[in-house]
Amino acid sequence: MPTLKIDGLDVTVDAGTSVLEAARFLGLEIPTLCHEDGLEAYGGCRLCVVEVGQGDKSRLVSSCTYPAEDGLAVRTNTKRVARTRKMLIELLVSLVPSSKVLQDLAAKFGAQKSRFKPKHEDCILCGLCVRMCKEQMMSGAIEFVGRGQKRRITTPFDKKSELCRTCGGCMYICPVCTLRCQGPNAPTTVCGSCLTLEPTCIDHYDDYMCYLGPTGVCGTCVSEKKHKGGESGGDKELCHTANTTQQQRR
Amino acid sequence: MPATKLKNLKDLVKEQARIAKEREAYSHVVTISSGTCGLAKGSGEFVDAMKAAVKALGLGKRVLIKSTGCHGFCDIEPVVHIAPQGIVYQKVAPENAKEILSETVLRNNVLEKLLYTDPQTGQKARLAREIPFYKSQRRLLTKANAEVDPESLPDYIANGGYQALAKAVGELDPEKVIAEVKKSRLRGRGGAGFPTGFKWEFCRRAKGDVKYVICNADEGDPGAYMDRSLLEGNPHATLEGMAIGAFAIGASEGYIYVRHEYPMAVRNIRKAVEDARAAGLLGKNILGGKFSFDVHIERGAGAFVCGEETALISSVEGKRGEPRQRPPFPAVRGLWGKPTNINNVETWSSIPVVINKGGDWFARIGTESSGGTKIFSLVGKVAHTGLVEVPIGTTLREIIYDIGGGIKGDGEFKAVQTGGPSGGCLPRSMLDLPVDYDTLAKAGSIMGSGGMIVMDESTCMVDLAKYFLNFLRDESCGKCLSCREGTDRLHEIVARICDGKGTEEDLPLLEELALVVKDASMCGLGQTAPNPVLSTLRYFRKEYEAHIKEKRCPAGVCKALIKYSIDGGKCIGCAVCAKQCPVDAISGEFKKPHAIDADRCIRCGVCVDACKPKAILVA
Ligand SMILES: Cc1cc2nc3c(=O)[nH]c(=O)nc-3n(C[C@H](O)[C@H](O)[C@H](O)COP(=O)(O)O)c2cc1C
Ligand code: SF4
Ligand code: SF4
Ligand code: FES
């Protein structure tokens, strides 16, 4: 069992524990965005950076992916960490300025003013939905494609996925999703828990596995009926992922 | 060659002597540089012409024609080397084939017109060592490229091939091999410069029944082609190195990850694997002993990031080529979760030399901290371009001036960019810097895989930083926010400065962001991506300031900041420029000075090239 020092405190953890988990065990707060308990660590948002090592050799690593090694010296709140975190939040906010989650982060870490031109994207590529779908919904309907600025999340070949059960797990976990909880007149299909009228998923999917609550409460059935009746949904307001998953029901 | 024949070092030495004896029948060996670069310049046709000429003159039993890999001096391709005289002919064409045979081979007359002329002294060179480009090199690895037919195992054996493997397997044990590699102070040639012996030791000590070795031949740096040249020209050397490494580490399987864009390298290495297998130098019970090792070839699709070791491993496993957190390092958990040792082509190719000559001998060639030679691809505004192999610790000046012949044309040296797209730009004041992993890092650049781009004053450093950032933002895997968004924003700011829209706040913002990209990113790509901008800011800050404060591009490159005009005194009114201008921005009476309409002008530069009296001014 490795013993490491975090912010001056010694802690012994099970092998395979991450630095983030070890720090949380000590009650230390490290902000995270792309990390969720129950999902595999990913290391994409970099918000959880901590400084490891001393002197010239010290460097920043993402604590959610870095293994707690014996003898490791970790500092979670150095100047370098703070400076980096603030800049990362600035980059995030300029990516999706409308996100409540990101605005809260910005307020908390004093990064309200972004010096970059807002991009108004609808995805920060944190990959939570991908892991949610694969690891919790046991579906694996969506994945990353492309690299660099062309990286995005979608179904294979942007085509209807046989694997998607429209459980809504991806939207549930999305930190920048503005589609959830839109009241009784939700224009979108995947969510709108309050609209439960006639659950049809039970008829449609024998092995329905829903993250949002007991089977049938998500309301997708309502919109599905709407679509069948030829009424158009509010596709334009869906993020790319939701759009692709939604098309699958047509 | 019967597979049972080669059992130990003695057998290989005997086989070498036997082949040499066989070759004595030939009075001359004519070697033609036929790597990808040579073929592009017509060496294929020349080889055909040469073979036909040999036949026509009935010299088939006396003259051996050999196509080899690249000889390194790209400017003078196709190149022919004639042994035993050692004469080198440059830029040969099929019609020269007959006269080379009838004059040089049969009558020992030198064809002056095909000799290389040193542009600086005007002197003609007959032998390779008289050519300045070759004279100052130390061709430990690339020498064989000019001697060995890459498709012939006997040729490699005749050159002393596989003796290092026989020595390692027969006379040393794995620990001793590792000790020798440690002594050599060989450091990884793939970029990071990790000491190879130590890396092997970690992997040897790692727990695991199955272990792998991998050869990284992804070579994604634009303009770099040393790995391609080694695999094309001398594939058995890489294989031999891998087999020695596998023996030392305890691996029985290896992978060569080579980019799909290198068809000739793939072909040659594939043939080498088959031939070595057939000769009992690869596969089960190598050299009739207990050690077994085989190699698979995996082709990469050409993403820069797939050269990063963990991304490469992921790609071999059939997954997305995306880096992952290290530790665990591949030496502990690599391919299919097993301990894996990954080295670059050049690193592997150095191993037979280390074992044959000894670690101490190898270490003496380089510097205190780093042994051996490094191959650079010297390109850009330098008089002689090509592959250059020099001892580690050679200065930039020696490489650029003694070997490269200085700046091409009448330009002035401005900067040299080392280390590929994420390397740094070093100014004139750094010319005496000995090239080594540590010195370059300290100067704000990197060794990288050995790219070296020389620039003169016609290069705008801000524009250059923009170019590399653009490459990196496309090639980032996109996983880390800092790398994906960071490089994109760095590019956005630098592009803005080039467009004349930069503000005084942009420079501190660039620096602030660059540091975060370096600090917060997971893999080497993100961690080095800001180098182009940081190094140019460090050494050429004035140029950034000129763009921002004076709205001026000193090198006359950034289109938004330059203006074309006509020098009335020089203009002869020929109207050639006006005819060529794609937007009709030039007007004037015939035989009278013309003028450019600045509003119409799109700054394409066509007029500059068109004007004979050089009357077009760019400022
Ligand atoms: C973005 C990136 C690209 C890389 N590309 C290559 C490459 O094309 N070839 C290579 O040998 N190493 C490349 N490397 C370095 C490898 O990760 C690794 O360090 C190397 O293959 C180890 O071999 P060595 O110790 O012999 O240098 C790259 C690293 C990074 C971060
Ligand atoms: S809605 Fe579809 S894509 Fe989203 S988590 Fe559920 S199965 Fe996966
Ligand atoms: S630093 Fe860049 S290339 Fe490397 S893992 Fe992160 S996003 Fe991918
Ligand atoms: S929480 Fe660790 S990188 Fe996102």
Side-chain angles (χ1 to χ4, degrees):
Chain A
M1 290 213 297
T3 298
L4 63 162
K5 211 185 238 343
I6 308 182
D7 290 346
L9 302 169
D10 283 321
V11 58
T12 304
V13 291
D14 288 336
T17 307
S18 69
V19 168
L20 177 71
E21 285 161 335
R24 288 194 170 160
F25 177 73
L26 289 174
L28 298 166
E29 196 192 332
I30 296 175
T32 58
L33 189 56
C34 71
H35 181 82
E36 273 301 330
D37 290 339
L39 297 181
E40 202 189 321
Y42 175 63
C45 76
R46 317 305 294 167
L47 271 191
C48 67
V49 284
V50 293
E51 195 162 347
V52 299
Q54 304 287 345
D56 292 357
K57 291 239 164 81
S58 84
R59 61 205 174 92
L60 299 188
V61 300
S62 48
S63 60
C64 66
T65 55
Y66 205 88
E69 292 174 314
D70 203 42
L72 195 70
V74 181
R75 287 170 293 160
T76 68
N77 241 325
T78 61
K79 243 191 229 158
R80 192 166 163 199
V81 168
R83 173 186 76 200
T84 305
R85 217 171 257 161
K86 205 168 147 183
M87 179 61 90
L88 291 170
I89 296 173
E90 206 175 320
L91 287 170
L92 280 168
V93 170
S94 63
L95 204 53
V96 187
S98 59
S99 158
K100 173 89 171 45
V101 174
L102 298 183
Q103 285 166 6
D104 288 350
L105 268 172
K108 187 162 176 188
F109 291 93
Q112 281 99 327
K113 202 175 146 269
S114 177
R115 289 164 286 177
F116 306 108
K117 231 181 22 228
K119 284 192 182 176
H120 300 292
E121 294 282 347
D122 50 26
C123 176
I124 53 170
L125 298 171
C126 66
L128 279 171
C129 55
V130 173
R131 282 169 288 151
M132 179 71 159
C133 183
K134 187 159 43 195
E135 296 165 26
Q136 291 295 335
M137 299 303 147
M138 315 317 252
S139 184
I142 47 177
E143 246 302 348
F144 288 107
V145 297
R147 60 179 186 272
Q149 289 294 307
K150 296 205 185 81
R151 187 184 178 97
R152 62 196 174 88
I153 295 167
T154 184
T155 51
F157 308 106
D158 293 330
K159 292 257 164 57
K160 170 186 162 100
S161 160
E162 308 267 295
L163 298 174
C164 175
R165 298 184 305 272
T166 62
C167 67
C170 49
M171 299 179 76
Y172 171 80
I173 202 146
C174 177
V176 299
C177 183
T178 48
L179 303 168
R180 235 177 307 134
C181 253
Q182 299 154 87
N185 294 320
T188 60
T189 51
V190 180
C191 199
S193 297
C194 37
L195 283 180
T196 314
L197 294 171
E198 307 164 73
T200 55
C201 50
I202 305 165
D203 307 336
H204 283 230
Y205 309 101
D206 210 21
D207 55 350
Y208 197 72
M209 207 195 315
C210 186
Y211 196 84
L212 295 182
T215 311
V217 299
C218 73
T220 50
C221 42
V222 178
S223 311
E224 187 167 26
K225 289 221 163 126
K226 266 197 210 157
H227 283 299
K228 276 188 187 146
E231 254 178 80
S232 73
D235 294 13
K236 276 191 242 70
E237 290 167 53
L238 287 174
C239 73
H240 183 81
T241 310
N243 229 330
T244 354
T245 49
Q246 191 200 336
Q247 279 162 12
Q248 294 161 6
R249 252 171 297 112
R250 305 247 178 95
Chain B
M1 176 186 340
T4 47
K5 211 168 127 190
L6 301 169
K7 289 241 184 298
N8 51 36
L9 184 55
K10 245 208 234 128
D11 290 348
L12 274 152
V13 175
K14 249 194 258 162
E15 181 66 10
Q16 180 184 20
R18 188 190 66 78
I19 300 168
K21 185 113 192 112
E22 222 175 74
R23 296 277 165 86
E24 274 171 17
Y26 294 106
S27 64
H28 290 79
V29 182
V30 178
T31 313
I32 300 129
S33 175
S34 315
T36 294
C37 37
L39 288 179
K41 289 204 172 170
S43 64
E45 289 83 358
F46 181 76
V47 172
D48 292 344
M50 208 63 194
K51 284 188 177 152
V54 165
K55 212 167 168 194
L57 294 172
L59 291 171
K61 293 228 165 73
R62 285 181 57 193
V63 180
L64 179 64
I65 305 288
K66 245 197 236 186
S67 303
T68 65
C70 167
H71 295 193
F73 196 174
C74 299
D75 287 345
I76 63 169
E77 299 267 10
V79 180
V80 186
H81 180 267
I82 299 151
Q85 296 102 313
I87 292 169
V88 173
Y89 287 146
Q90 59 144 357
K91 297 186 184 161
V92 290
E95 55 268 28
N96 301 130
K98 262 209 179 108
E99 49 181 345
I100 291 177
L101 285 175
S102 59
E103 289 303 315
T104 310
V105 169
L106 292 179
R107 297 196 184 83
N108 216 3
N109 290 334
V110 176
L111 296 165
E112 291 281 328
K113 62 177 181 183
L114 293 178
L115 289 179
Y116 173 76
T117 313
D118 181 359
Q120 259 138 5
T121 59
Q123 260 176 5
K124 288 202 182 276
R126 294 173 49 158
L127 310 177
R129 70 180 124 85
E130 290 168 6
I131 298 176
F133 180 81
Y134 289 120
K135 200 159 52 187
S136 311
Q137 293 194 44
R138 181 82 195 259
R139 294 163 60 87
L140 227 52
L141 306 185
T142 45
K143 185 164 160 273
N145 262 29
E147 293 166 355
V148 174
D149 174 353
E151 295 182 45
S152 157
L153 175 60
D155 230 37
Y156 184 64
I157 289 178
N159 210 41
Y162 287 107
Q163 292 184 13
L165 176 64
K167 188 172 161 191
V169 175
E171 296 170 11
L172 306 173
D173 57 31
E175 307 285 350
K176 281 193 190 130
V177 171
I178 291 180
E180 215 53 52
V181 177
K182 274 188 179 170
K183 249 195 270 171
S184 73
R185 290 204 286 264
L186 171 64
R187 292 174 68 174
R189 303 297 193 233
F194 195 85
T196 307
F198 287 90
K199 194 171 188 170
W200 287 17
E201 188 165 55
F202 290 143
C203 196
R204 175 165 181 78
R205 292 207 183 135
K207 279 194 207 92
D209 44 347
V210 178
K211 291 179 185 177
Y212 296 104
V213 294
I214 297 180
C215 171
N216 188 342
D218 189 54
E219 197 164 54
D221 300 26
Y225 54 105
M226 33 265 157
D227 294 349
R228 183 189 78 198
S229 169
L230 288 176
L231 278 189
E232 281 179 1
N234 197 9
H236 283 287
T238 307
L239 277 186
E240 188 179 358
M242 286 179 77
I244 296 170
F247 173 71
I249 288 155
S252 54
E253 248 180 286
Y255 284 82
I256 298 176
Y257 187 87
V258 49
R259 63 175 32 227
H260 175 70
E261 289 98 323
Y262 286 180
M264 188 194 241
V266 174
R267 204 171 61 230
N268 288 0
I269 191 75
R270 218 173 242 158
K271 176 151 195 326
V273 169
E274 281 161 19
D275 291 351
R277 225 181 252 149
L281 295 161
L282 210 61
K284 275 222 152 56
N285 306 103
I286 288 176
L287 291 158
K290 276 194 220 122
F291 171 55
S292 298
F293 172 67
D294 214 336
V295 168
H296 311 271
I297 293 159
E298 227 20 89
R299 282 180 301 164
F304 177 60
V305 74
C306 281
E308 197 278 340
E309 53 189 29
T310 59
L312 186 153
I313 287 172
S314 174
S315 169
V316 173
E317 289 173 349
K319 303 189 195 121
R320 268 175 72 79
E322 213 167 86
R324 64 150 175 82
Q325 173 74 51
R326 297 174 312 165
F329 287 92
V332 176
R333 186 130 56 84
L335 186 61
W336 319 113
K338 307 289 181 194
T340 302
N341 182 80
I342 175 163
N343 278 123
N344 167 263
V345 176
E346 212 180 316
T347 318
W348 287 122
S349 304
S350 303
I351 296 297
V353 183
V354 170
I355 299 299
N356 278 328
K357 303 267 191 176
D360 289 327
W361 181 89
F362 192 87
R364 274 197 297 276
I365 294 174
T367 62
E368 273 291 291
S369 63
S370 179
T373 55
K374 173 83 194 91
I375 309 173
F376 293 96
S377 73
L378 186 63
V379 295
K381 297 282 170 56
V382 66
H384 315 313
T385 58
L387 290 183
V388 171
E389 184 177 354
V390 289
I392 294 203
T394 305
T395 65
L396 285 169
R397 190 185 298 281
E398 286 168 283
I399 297 173
I400 297 166
Y401 285 87
D402 298 351
I403 298 170
I407 299 299
K408 192 191 237 148
D410 41 33
E412 282 268 338
F413 175 89
K414 179 169 183 179
V416 55
Q417 208 260 3
T418 72
S422 50
C425 297
L426 304 175
R428 168 180 286 280
S429 61
M430 293 293 215
L431 272 175
D432 291 309
L433 189 80
V435 178
D436 188 0
Y437 297 91
D438 311 315
T439 49
L440 282 174
K442 215 181 265 169
S445 187
I446 51 171
M447 179 82 106
S449 54
M452 200 171 270
I453 306 171
V454 178
M455 290 162 279
D456 66 5
E457 336 87 319
S458 68
T459 308
C460 166
M461 302 314 278
V462 189
D463 181 66
L464 185 85
K466 182 177 85 173
Y467 171 82
F468 286 120
L469 283 169
N470 191 35
F471 175 85
L472 292 162
R473 92 183 156 136
D474 280 349
E475 292 299 329
S476 153
C477 85
K479 177 178 185 166
C480 303
L481 175 84
S482 48
C483 174
R484 183 187 73 245
E485 282 308 306
T487 52
D488 188 51
R489 294 300 191 176
L490 285 174
H491 176 264
E492 180 183 271
I493 301 169
V494 172
R496 176 159 81 215
I497 296 175
C498 288
D499 277 347
K501 294 185 187 125
T503 63
E504 307 237 353
E505 288 92 61
D506 280 343
L507 292 189
L509 181 59
L510 265 184
E511 272 160 328
E512 203 185 319
L513 178 58
L515 277 186
V516 169
V517 175
K518 231 176 157 55
D519 258 0
S521 301
M522 182 181 284
C523 86
L525 193 151
Q527 289 162 1
T528 54
N531 281 340
V533 63
L534 283 174
S535 66
T536 46
L537 268 173
R538 174 163 160 192
Y539 297 116
F540 301 93
R541 200 180 184 92
K542 282 212 172 76
E543 234 171 293
Y544 280 85
E545 285 167 352
H547 282 72
I548 294 173
K549 291 184 195 156
E550 303 159 37
K551 303 288 171 215
R552 187 171 66 81
C553 173
V557 171
C558 295
K559 284 191 177 179
L561 300 178
I562 49 174
K563 233 171 109 180
Y564 283 74
S565 57
I566 293 178
D567 180 344
K570 280 191 185 161
C571 177
I572 51 170
C574 66
V576 167
C577 59
K579 272 191 213 109
Q580 296 205 8
C581 176
V583 290
D584 289 332
I586 306 178
S587 56
E589 264 179 65
F590 193 56
K591 290 203 171 162
K592 286 208 178 125
H594 280 47
I596 298 178
D597 178 350
D599 291 337
R600 273 206 179 168
C601 172
I602 54 165
R603 303 170 188 91
C604 65
V606 162
C607 52
V608 179
D609 299 332
C611 180
K612 281 243 169 66
K614 294 194 191 319
I616 313 275
L617 302 170
V618 186

